[in-house]
Amino acid sequence: MAIKSLEDLRKIKNESQLQTKARKNNDTQVIVGMGTCGIAAGAREVMAAVLEELSKRGLNNVAVLQTGCIGMCQKEPLLDIVRPGEDRVTYGPVYPADVPRIIADHLVNGIIVEDLVVAKIPNKE
Amino acid sequence: MALVRAHILICTGTGCTASGAKDVLAKFEQELKAKKLWDEVSVVETGCHGFCEAGPLVIIYPEGTFYTRVKVEDVAEIVDEHILKGRVVSRLLFKEPMTSQKVPNYSDIAFYKKQHRLVLGNCGHINPDSIEEYIGAEGYEGLAKAVLTMTPEQVVEEMKKTGLRGRGGGGFPTGMKWMFCAKSPGPKKYVICNADEGDPGAFMDRSLLEGDPHAILEGMAICAYAIGADEGYIYCRAEYPLAIKRLKQAITQAEEAGLLGKNIFGKDFSFTLHIKEGAGAFVCGEETALMASIEGGRGMPRPRPPFPAVKGLWDKPTNINNVETFANVPYIFRVGAEEYAKLGTEKSKGTKVFALTGKINNTGLAEVPMGISMREIIFDIGGGIMDGKKFKAVQIGGPSGGCIPEQLLDTPVDYDSLIAAGAMMGSGGLVVMDEGTCMVDVAKFFLNFTQSESCGKCTPCREGTKRMLEMLIDITEGRGKEGDIEKLERLAKSIKAGALCALGQTAPNPVLSTLRYFRDEYEAHIYEKRCPANVCTAFIGYKITDKCVGCGLCKTVCPVDAISGEPKGKHTIDPEKCIKCGACMVKCPFKAIIRG
Ligand SMILES: Cc1cc2nc3c(=O)[nH]c(=O)nc-3n(C[C@H](O)[C@H](O)[C@H](O)COP(=O)(O)O)c2cc1C
Ligand code: FES
């Protein structure tokens, strides 16, 4: 790694930021329900699919969070998408195969995947 | 590779390592692997956050949850609850000392909220062993900008515009210093970083070196470019092994990346760096003594002028700055002098890192903009005085500084206001004292330090501090005489005027400033033979009050049979026999025995 110009430096900076982005506050979030019920229903696999899809797309400005049981165990695995200034949308049951579609349509393009929606929580701002 | 969804930042600075961070780190690795989470979570070692008191510290992102005093036994619970299920383990959160409220997020803690972490910004938030993470935090952009787009003269001009003053104690304008050295003729020049950090209680330089070593290298390289130096030294005390290890690692990485060494950024600019370990003598922090030490001689100061900028290391023009001073430089060149100069006051720009210690609730490092009041530092950031006691004074500037009493708490903290108040910025050590502190005793403590650290080269410092210390010992042990105060003042004046280096010139400051604000305490010791704070044992006596019911318990514990009295009658202590051990006071179930 020999750095000879500002471009060389910026390149390393961008690569490094990709790795450390999770340490910044991100308003765009993917939240996976990780209660005992969620895990039993396959939430861990959903989480793995989320991470894989995000890294495939190089989306490093998204926070991946977990939440506990919200009392809709029959709909687990649950997955929420939060985009800044928009309603929070809960999807379920979500299987690993559904993840690419939710991320592409909703997270990236802002189009809600209606057939999988469980609930919408209005944005308060 | 899958994306990493969470980062577990574990502080492995000197403080947290001492409280067990390495074991916590190993346990996290074990737990995450056992639960098959190792691939989605990254574990990062960081440098000191300046909050060692609450260590080992663990911060988990993306939430930014701040866990304190994490023990090996807690790790499994954090992994199960937080990492797996996203539930905060609230019993490990930080509790505000004033309100007892638990605070989940790093950025919401009062200790950090009022701070302005510009120099310490990376400390605790990046992996200091990774040059990539430093570059990811915009590291080396300042150097790139300086070397690729500015002439050395422009770099010096830019530094002058910032108004930055040296953080090592003297407060000399850094841009001016660079200019003097740049103007000195000669093909060979040196840059030195003073990492001797000798002030008792100060540890901001250590934190910076451990937590963000590349920032110091970058600052030094920019300086080298500006003054025309091709070689530099970091003089770091050997008591900082972790700092030295991380510096060495950083130098190797920077050399591999071409950011140190020959033809940096492809330009006709080369800079190599060495580390020199110091043996921990306070006087070796003085710049001329420090250079003598690098040259292999005894660490003793010499008269100035000639200043190092003219005749420094091996008689070559040399620029020497403190660690924190250099740590400001990368930021300055990233954002520009004008932006930087917006922070702080008219004559003191930027921020200053203070090390809070003593009778204060939150001890640790606090970086604040210049000009903030002492009250805000102590009460808002520091969380007030321990055990609800009353504030008495704060010693600033260590053994060369002075104290600030209650009535001056609203003084803005900047170089000139502090001098006017009879103290000084120094390296930024703040020792907070409560009502139970004897100010004569404090002066004695600091003078004892400088007296034993005096190198002995000049008479005023060697003999003068010794005589002053003897007088303070006499005063605190009940042998003070009329005229002692005046004699102390006279001696202090002579030492200040006659000592060779700033060690001697500033040694009387603690005595002078306590005399200025607490003269009555000196007088009480000398004339009334009493210590108002009940600290100096020579004046303490134990008395039995009317609360005594005559149980006789005190009599049984007194090791010298100084207590007499009939059962069920009030007992008395014979002051001639009493050795002031205090055992009776501890024993008395009726709190009938008092000190005074
Ligand atoms: C007795 C004595 C001890 C000193 N110790 C230190 C020290 O530990 N660290 C430091 O940076 N400066 C120390 N100094 C100040 C240095 O002599 C010098 O002024 C400073 O390193 C210059 O850097 P600056 O302009 O960036 O502050 C000490 C001075 C004296 C007289
Ligand atoms: S070493 Fe961890 S906060 Fe200082």
Side-chain angles (χ1 to χ4, degrees):
Chain A
M1 175 181 76
I3 299 170
K4 284 286 165 218
S5 62
L6 203 56
E7 289 70 52
D8 293 348
L9 194 70
R10 293 260 156 87
K11 211 176 123 233
I12 296 175
K13 176 170 123 180
N14 292 337
E15 282 165 15
S16 167
Q17 286 186 346
L18 212 75
Q19 290 304 314
T20 55
K21 255 295 178 359
R23 289 180 222 165
K24 300 270 175 332
N25 278 333
N26 289 306
D27 295 333
T28 308
Q29 301 169 339
V30 179
I31 305 161
V32 184
M34 279 283 188
T36 309
C37 45
I39 294 172
R44 289 291 299 276
E45 289 73 24
V46 172
M47 173 66 89
V50 168
L51 295 175
E52 201 190 312
E53 190 60 26
L54 289 177
S55 81
K56 236 190 251 164
R57 294 174 165 268
L59 294 173
N60 56 50
N61 53 350
V62 178
V64 182
L65 301 164
Q66 318 91 294
T67 184
C69 175
I70 52 166
M72 278 197 285
C73 311
Q74 77 281 11
K75 290 279 188 191
E76 294 276 8
L78 292 168
L79 184 145
D80 291 22
I81 298 284
V82 182
R83 285 168 44 104
E86 296 178 12
D87 296 350
R88 170 175 177 161
V89 179
T90 303
Y91 294 102
V94 174
Y95 299 103
D98 303 320
V99 169
R101 187 155 65 105
I102 296 176
I103 288 186
D105 288 2
H106 189 178
L107 194 78
V108 177
N109 294 320
I111 303 161
I112 296 172
V113 185
E114 297 291 351
D115 57 312
L116 291 172
V117 171
V118 177
K120 289 182 192 167
I121 303 159
N123 186 289
K124 289 199 188 72
E125 279 151 29
Chain B
M1 196 193 83
L3 198 83
V4 170
R5 69 174 162 90
H7 290 242
I8 305 178
L9 272 60
I10 303 176
C11 177
T12 53
T14 296
C16 291
T17 300
S19 51
K22 290 282 184 189
D23 298 335
V24 170
L25 179 78
K27 185 73 179 167
F28 263 109
E29 187 176 334
Q30 188 196 337
E31 282 291 320
L32 289 170
K33 282 186 174 153
K35 305 219 161 88
K36 303 211 165 48
L37 289 161
W38 187 245
D39 293 336
E40 14 183 296
V41 177
S42 111
V43 176
V44 184
E45 282 186 60
T46 73
C48 177
H49 294 258
F51 206 22
C52 317
E53 176 217 21
L57 301 180
V58 174
I59 303 176
I60 299 184
Y61 286 100
E63 299 92 336
T65 311
F66 186 59
Y67 291 120
T68 56
R69 297 198 177 87
V70 177
K71 287 191 278 308
V72 173
E73 303 87 85
D74 302 325
V75 172
E77 186 178 346
I78 297 179
V79 170
D80 278 344
E81 287 295 302
H82 190 137
I83 300 296
L84 194 56
K85 299 182 182 159
R87 287 193 292 231
V88 170
V89 182
S90 62
R91 74 183 169 85
L92 295 171
L93 294 177
F94 177 72
K95 209 160 94 186
E96 290 285 0
M98 298 299 257
T99 56
S100 290
Q101 236 165 30
K102 294 209 160 164
V103 191
N105 272 33
Y106 193 76
S107 42
D108 293 333
I109 292 169
F111 180 72
Y112 287 114
K113 225 167 161 177
K114 275 229 168 176
Q115 296 199 36
H116 196 103
R117 293 208 152 202
L118 174 157
V119 170
L120 292 175
N122 279 342
C123 288
H125 297 276
I126 64 164
N127 178 351
D129 278 331
S130 157
I131 191 172
E132 288 83 6
E133 286 204 11
Y134 180 66
I135 293 173
E138 298 180 333
Y140 288 111
E141 273 191 28
L143 179 66
K145 215 158 122 193
V147 173
L148 292 169
T149 69
M150 298 166 91
T151 64
E153 294 73 30
Q154 287 173 324
V155 172
V156 171
E157 275 312 304
E158 189 79 0
M159 271 313 275
K160 277 166 73 183
K161 266 195 267 166
T162 61
L164 176 69
R165 293 167 69 168
R167 303 294 193 238
F172 192 81
T174 308
M176 296 272 275
K177 208 186 237 186
W178 289 18
M179 183 189 73
F180 290 138
C181 197
K183 287 200 171 147
S184 279
K188 185 74 191 177
K189 293 179 192 175
Y190 292 99
V191 176
I192 297 178
C193 173
N194 189 341
D196 195 52
E197 193 158 65
D199 274 3
F203 64 103
M204 58 286 286
D205 292 351
R206 172 180 71 70
S207 283
L208 281 166
L209 297 166
E210 284 178 10
D212 201 11
H214 282 286
I216 314 301
L217 308 194
E218 185 182 353
M220 290 183 78
I222 294 173
C223 173
Y225 177 73
I227 66 166
D230 65 352
E231 211 177 339
Y233 283 88
I234 301 173
Y235 188 88
C236 184
R237 47 175 42 226
E239 291 99 320
Y240 287 177
L242 183 62
I244 291 170
K245 190 178 136 220
R246 291 200 169 146
L247 277 173
K248 282 188 177 151
Q249 165 94 356
I251 290 174
T252 311
Q253 290 173 343
E255 281 170 350
E256 280 167 8
L259 297 166
L260 282 179
K262 291 220 178 319
N263 300 107
I264 296 167
F265 285 113
K267 291 277 188 156
D268 183 23
F269 164 54
S270 303
F271 185 52
T272 48
L273 258 180
H274 315 281
I275 297 172
K276 172 81 188 171
E277 293 181 30
F282 180 56
V283 76
C284 281
E286 197 281 334
E287 53 192 29
T288 60
L290 185 150
M291 291 186 297
S293 170
I294 294 181
E295 290 170 6
R298 257 182 93 174
M300 279 190 168
R302 61 159 175 80
R304 293 175 308 176
F307 285 96
V310 176
K311 207 172 164 191
L313 190 62
W314 285 300
D315 291 342
K316 300 287 186 284
T318 301
N319 182 79
I320 172 164
N321 279 123
N322 163 260
V323 173
E324 192 185 331
T325 313
F326 279 127
N328 275 280
V329 176
Y331 176 78
I332 287 171
F333 283 85
R334 236 172 22 238
V335 301
E338 262 169 50
E339 183 65 29
Y340 182 86
K342 283 183 192 157
L343 261 173
T345 66
E346 175 73 34
K347 289 202 171 126
S348 303
K349 296 294 182 194
T351 61
K352 176 77 193 95
V353 184
F354 291 99
L356 296 177
T357 52
K359 300 286 166 61
I360 192 165
N361 277 317
N362 299 331
T363 57
L365 292 185
E367 180 177 351
V368 293
M370 294 274 189
I372 182 174
S373 76
M374 195 58 99
R375 189 184 299 280
E376 285 171 272
I377 299 180
I378 294 173
F379 289 91
D380 297 345
I381 296 172
I385 310 300
M386 268 162 78
D387 303 326
K389 289 218 174 110
K390 233 180 99 186
F391 171 85
K392 185 167 188 177
V394 53
Q395 173 81 12
I396 174 164
S400 325
C403 65
I404 305 273
E406 160 108 63
Q407 67 267 30
L408 293 183
L409 265 181
D410 292 308
T411 314
V413 176
D414 63 56
Y415 288 96
D416 309 295
S417 316
L418 288 173
I419 296 276
M424 65 179 230
M425 186 75 78
S427 62
L430 290 182
V431 185
V432 177
M433 296 170 280
D434 67 9
E435 53 194 334
T437 315
C438 165
M439 299 311 286
V440 188
D441 189 53
V442 167
K444 185 174 79 177
F445 170 84
F446 284 112
L447 202 66
N448 185 32
F449 177 85
T450 31
Q451 191 273 325
S452 39
E453 292 289 344
S454 168
C455 76
K457 187 168 176 176
C458 75
T459 317
C461 176
R462 183 185 64 237
E463 298 298 324
T465 54
K466 181 95 184 148
R467 295 289 95 80
M468 281 183 81
L469 180 62
E470 281 167 4
M471 286 166 72
L472 289 179
I473 292 174
D474 278 350
I475 293 172
T476 52
E477 291 184 356
R479 297 183 298 272
K481 302 180 293 292
E482 192 168 346
D484 273 358
I485 295 181
E486 293 71 21
K487 220 157 124 191
L488 275 173
E489 284 172 330
R490 229 175 24 245
L491 204 49
K493 233 197 215 153
S494 318
I495 299 172
K496 278 177 94 79
L500 172 62
C501 82
L503 188 150
Q505 288 155 14
T506 58
N509 286 353
V511 180
L512 290 175
S513 85
T514 45
L515 268 172
R516 175 165 165 183
Y517 298 114
F518 299 95
R519 201 184 184 89
D520 53 323
E521 290 197 23
Y522 281 82
E523 288 167 349
H525 283 73
I526 296 172
Y527 302 111
E528 300 162 35
K529 301 291 171 213
R530 102 190 143 79
C531 172
N534 276 332
V535 171
C536 301
T537 41
F539 306 112
I540 302 173
Y542 288 88
K543 278 197 288 259
I544 301 180
T545 63
D546 289 339
K547 281 191 191 160
C548 176
V549 299
C551 71
L553 271 177
C554 54
K555 212 158 121 182
T556 60
V557 296
C558 179
V560 290
D561 289 329
I563 302 178
S564 55
E566 294 302 315
K568 303 222 165 111
K570 191 186 158 194
H571 284 47
T572 50
I573 302 176
D574 179 355
E576 295 294 311
K577 280 193 193 161
C578 174
I579 55 163
K580 296 159 188 166
C581 69
C584 53
M585 189 169 88
V586 176
K587 191 77 191 173
C588 179
F590 305 99
K591 294 198 166 53
I593 302 182
I594 56 162
R595 198 151 80 157

